[in-house]
Amino acid sequence: LRRAALRRFGDEARGDARLRARLPRLALASVAMGAVCLGAEWLLRDALAMPVWRYAALAALVGAGLASYGAAVLALGALTPADLRAALRRGPAER
């Protein structure tokens, strides 16, 4: 898959040194988010089975995953607040 991407996109598909340095911390943040989601699913298992409450429980589960990933990424130093501000400031065409 990587070779196909390199053939198709050339140097744009190669990770730079900053990505290679941050990749282990991003992976660790993903593992932390997975653990939080598993725990939240266990806590919300009854609500997820109820017809009316399942949507609120699902929103809470997604919110917990989003918040935990964001906190882990910042805590592990995979991204800095300045990186996040810069990414949000750029328009869709610049990303």
Side-chain angles (χ1 to χ4, degrees), residues 18-29:
R18 193 173 77 176
L19 173 65
R20 287 191 294 276
R22 293 178 178 192
L23 198 56
R25 289 177 274 175
L26 289 169
L28 188 57

Side-chain angles (χ1 to χ4, degrees), residues 1-91:
L1 185 62
R2 180 171 151 73
R3 286 185 185 197
L6 286 173
R7 268 196 311 263
R8 185 167 181 197
F9 297 108
D11 287 336
E12 288 82 14
R14 292 188 193 280
D16 61 355
R18 193 173 77 176
L19 173 65
R20 287 191 294 276
R22 293 178 178 192
L23 198 56
R25 289 177 274 175
L26 289 169
L28 188 57
S30 297
V31 169
M33 179 189 68
V36 167
C37 286
L38 281 173
E41 187 272 334
W42 183 80
L43 289 172
L44 295 169
R45 67 186 179 279
D46 293 335
L48 287 166
M50 300 169 106
V52 175
W53 287 99
R54 76 175 52 161
Y55 302 108
L58 181 59
L61 183 64
V62 170
L66 178 68
S68 65
Y69 184 74
V73 161
L74 292 173
L76 294 170
L79 293 176
T80 65
D83 293 331
L84 295 176
R85 282 192 299 272
L88 293 173
R89 199 173 23 245
R90 282 185 246 149

